[in-house]
Amino acid sequence: MAVIRGREKKSGGEIFTASMADIVFLLIVFFVLTYNTEVDRTQVDLPETWVRKNIPKKAAVISISSPDQGEVVRVSTGEEMSLPVSTDEEVITFASTVVAQDPAKEFIIKADADVHYQKVDAVLDALKQSKVKVIFLLSDQKTVDG
Amino acid sequence: MGVFKNNKREIESEIFTGSMADISFLLIIYFMVTSVFSATRGLDFALPEDNNETPEIKQEDSIDVFVQPGGDLQLDGNPMAREQIADKLLPYIEETLRENPKKPVILRTDPDATYGNMIYVFDILRTPIEDGGIKIETISIPTQREISNIWTMLGVAQ
């Protein structure tokens, strides 16, 4: 008996990947445009406010970590990574140096909402003594639920 | 005469794109891991310009907002619970400013209060007043050192 050999063609399952390159490049362009190097990576729970204004890029940053993390003060010129400071005098020295180089330099205070005000007061005083003109208090957006 | 057929094969020029997907995904992962959606907004305040003239200080010429530990207020010496601040602070200030729109608001904070307590009140003071309302022209945030200096100038023992 003759055996009929079936000429089965293997049907290869294929995912259409032609548009993948477009999507990938779109994502890359998005990340390149929105890429933002953060000079201070202190994890803080910012206070929430209704009123919020845009903060200029490259402003100097002074951060104060939460009481759980020891309310550590760190300073950054806005271009280099932040460094911890231990005394108010060091904050004054830092701010005075920055202001001497750029008298119009803005400063950001990035402090945890639970920080004792005494600590913020000391930083504010240091900035005032250093003749800083504009200070921004970093905050999160307040919501109706919050 | 036999025609000699040139048996040239066309060489296909092709850029090898097999590894492009790997490179692209590597870039995406890099940007995703290193980029930070940072908070870039907040409350601003400008510090006064240096002035050599000594200002005449009259305590009654300002609105004194004192933030206490726990978030309660003392508004011109009168207590105000934290729950009442949102509803009662601005109307009080507006009423006072109608008599004298130039009156500055002095925001003081107890050293033992939290930064969040202070920001809560400062945010309310900075809230734009509705139509017909009066704008707060000056909000001053003196530091403990400045307050001590003022009390000393006034001859008031703390």
Side-chain angles (χ1 to χ4, degrees):
Chain A
M1 198 172 84
V3 178
I4 301 166
R5 286 186 108 183
R7 277 198 161 184
E8 280 179 14
K9 272 210 295 184
K10 279 188 183 175
S11 60
E14 200 175 312
I15 299 168
F16 181 67
T17 55
S19 60
M20 193 180 74
D22 298 334
I23 296 164
V24 165
F25 277 109
L26 196 76
L27 281 169
I28 289 177
V29 169
F30 168 76
F31 280 115
V32 168
L33 292 179
T34 60
Y35 187 67
N36 202 357
T37 44
E38 195 161 52
V39 290
D40 181 80
R41 289 177 180 263
T42 310
Q43 291 293 316
V44 291
D45 185 12
L46 291 172
E48 295 177 348
T49 60
W50 291 113
V51 179
R52 292 174 84 222
K53 288 194 169 181
N54 276 333
I55 287 170
K57 285 179 182 172
K58 304 286 180 194
V61 181
I62 298 184
S63 70
I64 309 171
S65 65
S66 66
D68 299 339
Q69 294 172 341
E71 297 190 348
V72 177
V73 179
R74 298 179 71 94
V75 296
S76 164
T77 56
E79 281 154 19
E80 295 133 28
M81 291 304 285
S82 62
L83 294 168
V85 289
S86 49
T87 61
D88 298 339
E89 285 70 31
E90 283 183 81
V91 180
I92 296 175
T93 308
F94 161 77
S96 302
T97 311
V98 172
V99 171
Q101 287 167 358
D102 180 5
K105 186 90 168 177
E106 295 97 347
F107 277 70
I108 300 169
I109 294 179
K110 173 189 169 185
D112 190 279
D114 291 331
V115 161
H116 289 95
Y117 187 73
Q118 192 171 21
K119 202 80 185 177
V120 181
D121 183 81
V123 169
L124 274 178
D125 200 51
L127 295 181
K128 283 185 178 185
Q129 287 187 60
S130 308
K131 315 288 182 210
V132 172
K133 291 196 173 82
V134 182
I135 300 172
F136 288 87
L137 306 172
L138 204 64
S139 66
D140 276 334
Q141 181 64 60
K142 199 172 205 172
T143 56
V144 178
D145 301 333
Chain B
M1 199 174 80
V3 179
F4 181 74
K5 257 192 157 179
N6 198 353
N7 210 11
K8 270 187 190 170
R9 277 201 310 176
E10 275 187 21
I11 301 166
E12 286 181 21
S13 60
E14 195 177 321
I15 297 168
F16 180 67
T17 55
S19 59
M20 196 180 69
D22 297 335
I23 297 164
S24 304
F25 278 110
L26 198 76
L27 279 170
I28 286 181
I29 289 165
Y30 169 75
F31 281 117
M32 281 179 80
V33 170
T34 59
S35 77
V36 183
F37 290 94
S38 54
T40 53
R41 288 166 79 88
L43 287 164
D44 65 318
F45 72 95
L47 298 175
E49 293 286 327
D50 250 1
N51 194 349
N52 291 331
E53 292 170 25
T54 310
E56 194 184 337
I57 301 160
K58 286 180 186 170
Q59 208 175 346
E60 64 274 15
D61 276 353
S62 62
I63 301 169
D64 181 38
V65 181
F66 182 45
V67 183
Q68 296 181 308
D72 293 347
L73 277 191
Q74 268 197 5
L75 187 54
D76 281 339
N78 302 312
M80 181 180 280
R82 186 185 160 91
E83 300 77 47
Q84 298 176 310
I85 295 172
D87 298 327
K88 292 191 174 173
L89 177 60
L90 277 185
Y92 173 84
I93 288 173
E94 211 175 336
E95 199 183 309
T96 315
L97 289 181
R98 276 191 204 286
E99 294 162 16
N100 180 4
K102 298 274 179 195
K103 259 192 179 184
V105 175
I106 296 175
L107 176 59
R108 295 187 296 132
T109 307
D110 190 289
D112 291 326
T114 64
Y115 175 60
N117 294 148
M118 176 268 188
I119 287 288
Y120 177 73
V121 178
F122 188 36
D123 184 36
I124 291 172
L125 293 175
R126 290 292 305 274
T127 305
I129 292 173
E130 305 279 313
D131 292 341
I134 291 174
K135 193 180 172 229
I136 303 170
E137 281 190 17
T138 313
I139 302 171
S140 173
I141 306 175
T143 61
Q144 285 303 313
R145 186 182 55 85
E146 289 171 328
I147 292 167
S148 301
N149 289 347
I150 292 168
W151 289 139
T152 310
M153 280 169 67
L154 292 170
V156 179
Q158 283 183 271

